[in-house]
Amino acid sequence: MPSSLRSMRHMLIGFLVFGFIYTMVSVLWGFSALAAFPALERADLATPTLLASEFVPPVLGVIVMIGIMAAAVSTIDSIMLTLASMVSRDVYANVKPNVSEKRQLLMGKFVVPVIALMALAFAELELDLIAVLSVAASSGLVATVPALIGAFYWKRGTAAGAVVSVVGTSAFVLLMYATGNSLLSLPAGVWGILVASVLFVGVSLMTKPHQATTDAFFTAISEELGKKSLQWGL
């Protein structure tokens, strides 16, 4: 938990840098698999095929596979808990405003196994969509990057700019995938970050920021971080 707004800003940049490095490693890994096995039929088999090949020492292959499994399990846990919290607090609590915390907790506990069963049913279909979904998710996430950075670093940014940036870029990315995922030989992810940045900056400059809301936003964050710091003894 960051101890101040400045620390939160640094953490945000750190996550973005880590995400960029992770993406570059994944891309290089994919190109390595393509170069080593040009006849590979499915992109989903790139990692297991490369780890099982003579190019990777067996011990290193086992360690990497264990790391991948551990990361997958922790990611699945986080996603299920996040979705359960969203349903119980953002949906159920709004439908029933006076619902108690205990009822919200019970709703969250009910949602977790439902999500797990839905994911299991989807996996049983074996649609060979791991690579496609991963790329599509990454391309879609870039729509939020300019708005996130702008929220903490650019006080001229507006809510309208953030909404138009996220919605417009998401629609643009979906359109690119529907029409072949290529424009001027560049994939949706590259165009997504460009479109999101242009929309966020352009719409923000054309609209007027609500200074009172901006000040309240940073004040609330600073106060909440201060409370957490006291609780953790920082």
Short mmCIF file of all heavy atoms in Angstrom, two decimals, residues 139 176 181-183 185-192:
data_model
loop_
_atom_site.label_atom_id
_atom_site.label_comp_id
_atom_site.label_asym_id
_atom_site.label_seq_id
_atom_site.Cartn_x
_atom_site.Cartn_y
_atom_site.Cartn_z
N SER A 139 -4.69 -5.51 -26.16
CA SER A 139 -5.06 -4.40 -27.05
C SER A 139 -6.17 -3.56 -26.44
O SER A 139 -6.19 -2.33 -26.58
CB SER A 139 -5.49 -4.93 -28.41
OG SER A 139 -4.45 -5.68 -29.01
N MET A 176 -11.16 -3.15 -35.51
CA MET A 176 -9.95 -3.65 -36.17
C MET A 176 -9.91 -5.17 -36.17
O MET A 176 -9.56 -5.81 -37.17
CB MET A 176 -8.70 -3.09 -35.50
CG MET A 176 -8.39 -1.64 -35.85
SD MET A 176 -6.69 -1.18 -35.47
CE MET A 176 -5.76 -2.24 -36.58
N ASN A 181 -7.66 -6.93 -38.01
CA ASN A 181 -6.63 -6.57 -37.04
C ASN A 181 -5.37 -6.02 -37.70
O ASN A 181 -4.25 -6.35 -37.31
CB ASN A 181 -6.28 -7.77 -36.15
CG ASN A 181 -5.33 -7.39 -35.02
OD1 ASN A 181 -5.35 -6.26 -34.56
ND2 ASN A 181 -4.50 -8.33 -34.59
N SER A 182 -5.51 -5.21 -38.71
CA SER A 182 -4.34 -4.62 -39.34
C SER A 182 -4.72 -3.34 -40.06
O SER A 182 -5.67 -3.31 -40.83
CB SER A 182 -3.71 -5.61 -40.33
OG SER A 182 -2.56 -5.04 -40.93
N LEU A 183 -3.96 -2.29 -39.78
CA LEU A 183 -4.13 -1.02 -40.46
C LEU A 183 -2.74 -0.45 -40.71
O LEU A 183 -1.98 -0.22 -39.77
CB LEU A 183 -4.96 -0.06 -39.59
CG LEU A 183 -5.24 1.32 -40.20
CD1 LEU A 183 -6.06 1.19 -41.47
CD2 LEU A 183 -5.98 2.21 -39.19
N SER A 185 -0.39 -2.14 -41.76
CA SER A 185 0.48 -3.23 -41.30
C SER A 185 0.80 -3.15 -39.81
O SER A 185 1.73 -3.81 -39.33
CB SER A 185 1.80 -3.26 -42.10
OG SER A 185 1.53 -3.45 -43.47
N LEU A 186 0.06 -2.35 -39.05
CA LEU A 186 0.25 -2.24 -37.61
C LEU A 186 -0.92 -2.89 -36.89
O LEU A 186 -2.07 -2.71 -37.30
CB LEU A 186 0.38 -0.78 -37.18
CG LEU A 186 1.62 -0.03 -37.68
CD1 LEU A 186 1.56 1.43 -37.25
CD2 LEU A 186 2.90 -0.68 -37.17
N PRO A 187 -0.67 -3.64 -35.81
CA PRO A 187 -1.76 -4.33 -35.10
C PRO A 187 -2.61 -3.37 -34.28
O PRO A 187 -2.29 -2.19 -34.11
CB PRO A 187 -1.01 -5.31 -34.19
CG PRO A 187 0.32 -4.66 -33.96
CD PRO A 187 0.65 -3.95 -35.24
N ALA A 188 -3.69 -3.91 -33.74
CA ALA A 188 -4.65 -3.10 -32.99
C ALA A 188 -4.04 -2.48 -31.75
O ALA A 188 -4.40 -1.36 -31.36
CB ALA A 188 -5.86 -3.96 -32.61
N GLY A 189 -3.12 -3.19 -31.09
CA GLY A 189 -2.53 -2.66 -29.87
C GLY A 189 -1.77 -1.37 -30.09
O GLY A 189 -1.84 -0.44 -29.27
N VAL A 190 -1.02 -1.29 -31.19
CA VAL A 190 -0.25 -0.08 -31.48
C VAL A 190 -1.18 1.08 -31.79
O VAL A 190 -1.02 2.20 -31.27
CB VAL A 190 0.71 -0.33 -32.67
CG1 VAL A 190 1.44 0.96 -33.04
CG2 VAL A 190 1.70 -1.43 -32.32
N TRP A 191 -2.18 0.83 -32.62
CA TRP A 191 -3.13 1.88 -32.95
C TRP A 191 -3.98 2.26 -31.74
O TRP A 191 -4.38 3.41 -31.59
CB TRP A 191 -4.04 1.43 -34.10
CG TRP A 191 -3.39 1.50 -35.44
CD1 TRP A 191 -2.98 0.45 -36.21
CD2 TRP A 191 -3.04 2.68 -36.16
NE1 TRP A 191 -2.40 0.89 -37.36
CE2 TRP A 191 -2.43 2.27 -37.37
CE3 TRP A 191 -3.19 4.04 -35.92
CZ2 TRP A 191 -1.97 3.16 -38.32
CZ3 TRP A 191 -2.73 4.94 -36.86
CH2 TRP A 191 -2.13 4.51 -38.05
N GLY A 192 -4.24 1.28 -30.88
CA GLY A 192 -5.07 1.54 -29.71
C GLY A 192 -4.49 2.60 -28.80
O GLY A 192 -5.19 3.52 -28.36
#
